Amino acid sequence: MSPYERKAWDTLLDAATAAEPPGWLEGLSQGIADRAKGVVSQVRSGVEQVPGATAAIGKVDQLTTKALEALHTVLVERGLNSVNPANVFAMFAGEGVTVASYDEVRRLDLQQCDGSVPRRKDRYVALALAEGAASSLAVTGVAVSSAVTGGTTLPVAASAVVADVTAVLVGMGRIVALVAAHYGYDVREPDEQAFASGVIAYAAAGNSAERAAALAALSRLTQQMMRQESWHELQPQQADNVLQQVSMALGFRLAKRKLAQAVPVLGAVVNGGLNARIAQKTFERAQQAYRLRFLTEKHDLDAGQWAPAVAADVAVDIPLIDRMLNSSAGRGESGDEDLQQS
């Protein structure tokens, strides 16, 4: 390792196993979110007392499920497939580094890869903030319209929520694909698409237990990809099925967290802040995950070093990518047993 890479590796190992402090956006929105959730709970309880309201809510749940079924396709086409390799190589050229393939990128010094990552974090955070606020105001408008006219507009509100969730996940896909490319990984390939799915799940992890479990899953998957050639022959359909499971799970998870956006004014602040926080976390965690993998593979290191300890008795509500892949391929009962214990 170069001195830069050694220092980065030590810092990354420390961060991987340390508790992650809440960011300023979390502190800003948490109090508002707690108050808003209380209001939402009261409103929903009142609505459910209205004759026919329960059936309407059930219909909304069905519409949400149906709408999310196509989410993974949009996530792939507009998110993961949004990065043009030529543009990435041009950004390297702008830093004085000439590369013509992702293989060449993975042979660079980490410092050169870090320097090529476009500084677009603020732009993505601002766009997410605006989109989240606009979506919340749209839902609020529907709620006000329903109250004034007495009309049934719950399906329209549900569509707005699903559209917002889709925009968030597509944005996460774009960020992950962009970061991956600058460390030499092409997420258009099936095996890299699967790894990117795990990074998206890691970015969406909420508490420390979920974060540790998701990062540990990426560590195990990295070990498997380094030791077994079969992981480099992952079938497109298998990767697509796993991505669909991940997107559905995270889609419902986000939809639940966005209940606050139905609250007038407060909803716009909470939802905009939530979207901005997600974009910010996605950048930070994607770069952490790919930097760890880059150094691990380049110098043939043990990925188990950056796997956080995960308590066996703690349940997490986050997709664990290595287990999903092993399950879909019918593996994990014998050949991967040693990896799952590491």
Side-chain angles (χ1 to χ4, degrees), residues 43 136-154 156-157 261-265:
V43 170
S136 180
L137 290 175
V139 175
T140 298
V142 169
V144 172
S145 174
S146 178
V148 173
T149 65
T152 304
T153 54
L154 281 176
V156 178
Q261 69 181 16
V263 183
V265 184

Side-chain angles (χ1 to χ4, degrees), residues 264-309:
V265 184
L266 284 181
V269 176
V270 172
N271 195 52
L274 176 60
N275 285 12
R277 181 175 61 189
I278 291 172
Q280 184 181 52
K281 289 293 185 185
T282 302
F283 253 112
E284 294 171 356
R285 292 182 179 176
Q287 193 163 12
Q288 179 195 31
Y290 280 107
R291 293 177 87 217
L292 281 165
R293 184 181 166 195
F294 175 92
L295 290 174
T296 299
E297 293 183 342
K298 180 182 177 183
H299 298 287
D300 196 24
L301 303 173
D302 178 13
Q305 293 184 68
W306 44 271

Side-chain angles (χ1 to χ4, degrees), residues 12-339:
L12 285 165
L13 290 183
D14 289 341
T17 56
E20 187 176 55
W24 68 271
L25 281 170
E26 291 180 348
L28 177 65
S29 63
Q30 189 58 54
I32 298 175
D34 291 341
R35 293 195 297 272
K37 286 178 182 177
V39 175
V40 170
S41 178
Q42 295 175 11
V43 170
R44 186 180 180 94
S45 298
V47 169
E48 289 177 342
Q49 302 304 315
V50 178
T54 301
I57 292 173
K59 180 65 174 177
V60 169
D61 291 341
Q62 294 176 17
L63 291 171
T64 301
T65 301
K66 186 174 181 61
L68 287 177
E69 288 177 352
L71 173 59
H72 80 288
T73 301
V74 181
L75 176 58
V76 170
E77 294 178 353
R78 300 182 184 177
L80 296 179
N81 289 350
S82 63
V83 175
N84 186 336
N87 293 338
V88 175
F89 303 151
M91 290 180 185
F92 274 101
E95 297 294 323
V97 180
T98 301
V99 291
S101 71
Y102 285 120
D103 286 339
E104 292 181 8
V105 172
R106 291 195 299 274
R107 290 195 291 269
L108 296 175
D109 188 274
L110 180 68
Q111 186 172 12
Q112 294 172 307
C113 294
D114 286 347
S116 77
V117 176
R119 288 162 176 73
R120 298 180 182 174
K121 182 185 297 184
D122 292 341
R123 176 187 175 191
Y124 273 93
V125 170
L127 288 174
L129 180 64
E131 187 280 328
S135 174
S136 180
L137 290 175
V139 175
T140 298
V142 169
V144 172
S145 174
S146 178
V148 173
T149 65
T152 304
T153 54
L154 281 176
V156 178
S159 297
V161 172
V162 171
D164 181 44
V165 168
T166 300
V168 168
L169 284 174
V170 168
M172 293 176 74
R174 287 174 177 165
I175 292 171
V176 170
L178 181 67
V179 172
H182 284 267
Y183 291 95
Y185 301 102
D186 186 355
V187 299
R188 297 172 300 176
E189 298 178 359
D191 54 331
E192 292 304 332
Q193 188 176 102
F195 190 88
S197 301
V199 176
I200 292 173
Y202 176 50
N207 56 43
S208 58
E210 290 181 347
R211 172 181 171 270
L215 185 57
L218 287 173
S219 167
R220 292 191 297 268
L221 181 55
T222 299
Q223 295 175 65
Q224 292 171 354
M225 295 177 76
M226 290 176 68
R227 299 177 188 179
Q228 300 179 14
E229 287 298 324
S230 59
W231 282 106
H232 296 280
E233 300 173 1
L234 193 65
Q235 296 300 312
Q237 186 60 47
Q238 183 185 355
D240 188 66
N241 289 339
V242 170
L243 180 57
Q244 182 175 14
Q245 295 177 53
V246 171
S247 60
M248 284 287 288
L250 296 181
F252 278 112
R253 175 188 174 92
L254 283 171
K256 291 177 182 179
R257 294 173 66 185
K258 286 175 174 295
L259 288 175
Q261 69 181 16
V263 183
V265 184
L266 284 181
V269 176
V270 172
N271 195 52
L274 176 60
N275 285 12
R277 181 175 61 189
I278 291 172
Q280 184 181 52
K281 289 293 185 185
T282 302
F283 253 112
E284 294 171 356
R285 292 182 179 176
Q287 193 163 12
Q288 179 195 31
Y290 280 107
R291 293 177 87 217
L292 281 165
R293 184 181 166 195
F294 175 92
L295 290 174
T296 299
E297 293 183 342
K298 180 182 177 183
H299 298 287
D300 196 24
L301 303 173
D302 178 13
Q305 293 184 68
W306 44 271
V310 180
D313 58 343
V314 176
V316 295
D317 182 27
I318 201 77
L320 300 180
I321 191 63
D322 67 313
R323 296 180 183 176
M324 295 175 68
L325 283 167
N326 284 336
S327 176
S328 66
R331 294 189 289 238
E333 297 300 324
S334 56
D336 295 336
E337 200 168 303
D338 60 323
L339 293 178

